[in-house]
């Protein structure tokens, strides 16, 4: 079975240049530093005792820090994949090969996501520390990694679409970070704003409206908090057929797939 040459090249190139080990080292250093620093702050006044509830706090700090790092790393890795080929004037050469534009986009995406997945897998020892102290169910940990995979898919697709649209990597990277920030902070701000406005109009009604609940369901921070066991943060939720994680899954996989299809069409010189 032959391996896509673009995928093979993109998978091995970072390791041959020695860049990947450094990114991995810095990623683990930052994430481990946050976690160990939090543990030290909690235990410095009672060094010989352990409160089991602290393992849940460590789990929360570790999970939020991981989400923030993924929001920085994933778009950054994909935002220059196609625009970089265009700047090096190698994109036209790539397009006249037997590879289809959609195949090129998927190869670039898979190689970038494979490296990001390696970063997530490398943090397993940090999570094993939380499991060792107890307070976290293995199913909750698996849900968390499933959440990271789905989130990573959309973040990578955003970077890929920006890379296919913009000619310069710098503009593509900035736009990717802007859209990611809009998804993480903008949806939360808009949900709170609509919530407060509708409260003033419909005084006494505490149920969340459809736009508010939808914005909260697609917000990665709120979804992360729900996985960690937090309840609804802005009042009583409406009784929907699809749970919050179902809305999150459909939105992130659907929008991510549409962005990849659009990127392949954008890359096709015939526009098909």
């Amino acid at each position: 079975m032959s391996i896509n040459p673009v995928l093979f090249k993109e998978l091995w190139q970072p390791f041959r240049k020695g860049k990947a080990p450094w990114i991995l080292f810095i990623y683990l250093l930052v994430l481990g530093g946050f976690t160990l620093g939090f543990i030290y702050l909690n235990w410095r006044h009672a060094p010989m005792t352990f409160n089991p509830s602290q393992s849940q706090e460590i789990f929360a700090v570790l999970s939020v820090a991981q989400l923030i790092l993924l929001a920085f790393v994933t778009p950054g890795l994909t935002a220059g994949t196609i625009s970089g080929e265009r700047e090096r004037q190698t994109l036209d050469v790539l397009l006249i090969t037997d590879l289809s534009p959609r195949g090129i986009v998927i190869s670039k995406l898979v190689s970038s996501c494979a490296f990001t997945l390696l970063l997530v897998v490398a943090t397993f020892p940090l999570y094993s520390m939380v499991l060792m102290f107890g307070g976290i169910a293995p199913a909750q940990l698996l849900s968390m990694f499933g959440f990271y995979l789905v989130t990573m898919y959309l973040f990578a697709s955003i970077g890929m679409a920006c890379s296919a649209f913009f000619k310069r990597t710098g503009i593509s990277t900035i736009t990717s970070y802007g859209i990611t920030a809009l998804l993480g902070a903008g949806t939360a701000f808009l949900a709170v704003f609509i919530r407060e406005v509708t409260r003033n109009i419909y005084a006494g009604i505490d149920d969340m409206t459809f736009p508010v609940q939808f914005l909260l369901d697609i917000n990665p921070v709120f979804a992360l908090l729900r996985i960690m066991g937090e309840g609804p943060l802005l009042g009583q939720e409406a009784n929907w057929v699809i749970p919050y994680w179902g809305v999150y899954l459909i939105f992130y996989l659907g929008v991510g797939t549409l962005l990849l299809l659009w990127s392949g069409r954008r890359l096709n010189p015939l526009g098909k």
Side-chain angles (χ1 to χ4, degrees), residues 74-121:
T74 311
L77 286 176
T78 55
T81 50
I82 295 175
S83 58
E85 297 282 355
R86 196 179 282 123
E87 287 175 342
R88 292 190 296 271
Q89 299 183 345
T90 54
L91 182 59
D92 292 335
V93 178
L94 204 56
L95 289 173
I96 60 174
T97 62
D98 293 335
L99 293 171
S100 65
R102 194 170 299 168
I104 295 172
V105 169
I106 292 175
S107 301
K108 298 275 188 184
L109 178 85
V110 171
S111 60
S112 301
C113 285
F115 183 69
T116 314
L117 184 62
L118 175 65
L119 296 178
V120 175
V121 171

Side-chain angles (χ1 to χ4, degrees), residues 166-178:
F166 294 105
K167 294 181 179 178
R168 297 293 178 188
T169 300
I171 300 174
S172 171
T173 305
I174 293 171
T175 308
S176 301
Y177 282 138

Side-chain angles (χ1 to χ4, degrees), residues 38-262:
F38 182 79
I39 292 173
Y40 172 74
L41 289 176
N42 273 332
W43 292 352
R44 62 177 175 167
H45 297 302
M48 301 304 292
T49 60
F50 173 72
N51 184 357
S53 65
Q54 288 179 349
S55 65
Q56 294 182 348
E57 296 175 0
I58 298 170
F59 180 63
V61 170
L62 187 56
S63 301
V64 172
Q66 176 114 291
L67 177 63
I68 293 171
L69 287 177
L70 284 179
F72 275 102
V73 172
T74 311
L77 286 176
T78 55
T81 50
I82 295 175
S83 58
E85 297 282 355
R86 196 179 282 123
E87 287 175 342
R88 292 190 296 271
Q89 299 183 345
T90 54
L91 182 59
D92 292 335
V93 178
L94 204 56
L95 289 173
I96 60 174
T97 62
D98 293 335
L99 293 171
S100 65
R102 194 170 299 168
I104 295 172
V105 169
I106 292 175
S107 301
K108 298 275 188 184
L109 178 85
V110 171
S111 60
S112 301
C113 285
F115 183 69
T116 314
L117 184 62
L118 175 65
L119 296 178
V120 175
V121 171
T123 61
F124 278 6
L126 294 175
Y127 282 97
S128 67
M129 192 167 53
V130 178
L131 282 177
M132 183 177 67
F133 290 133
I136 303 297
Q140 196 175 10
L141 199 58
L142 290 175
S143 301
M144 185 65 68
F145 281 106
F147 162 79
Y148 286 141
L149 290 179
V150 174
T151 307
M152 189 171 63
Y153 177 72
L154 181 58
F155 286 173
S157 300
I158 290 172
M160 194 63 65
C162 290
S163 185
F165 183 76
F166 294 105
K167 294 181 179 178
R168 297 293 178 188
T169 300
I171 300 174
S172 171
T173 305
I174 293 171
T175 308
S176 301
Y177 282 138
I179 297 174
T180 306
L182 184 67
L183 198 60
T187 52
F189 174 79
L190 192 59
V192 173
F193 178 79
I194 296 174
R195 172 72 172 163
E196 293 301 318
V197 170
T198 52
R199 259 188 180 177
N200 292 334
I201 296 175
Y202 304 106
I205 300 176
D206 199 34
D207 292 341
M208 277 191 277
T209 58
F210 172 80
V212 173
Q213 187 160 337
F214 177 73
L215 288 170
L216 292 181
D217 285 345
I218 64 170
N219 184 282
V221 179
F222 279 87
L224 181 68
L225 293 175
R226 297 296 300 274
I227 293 173
M228 287 190 295
E230 296 290 336
L233 300 178
L234 293 182
Q236 184 63 36
E237 286 188 332
N239 189 18
W240 285 17
V241 177
I242 306 176
Y244 78 93
W245 56 266
V247 176
Y248 191 86
L249 195 67
I250 292 171
F251 180 83
Y252 274 62
L253 293 182
V255 174
T257 303
L258 288 176
L259 286 175
L260 291 181
L261 291 174
W262 179 83

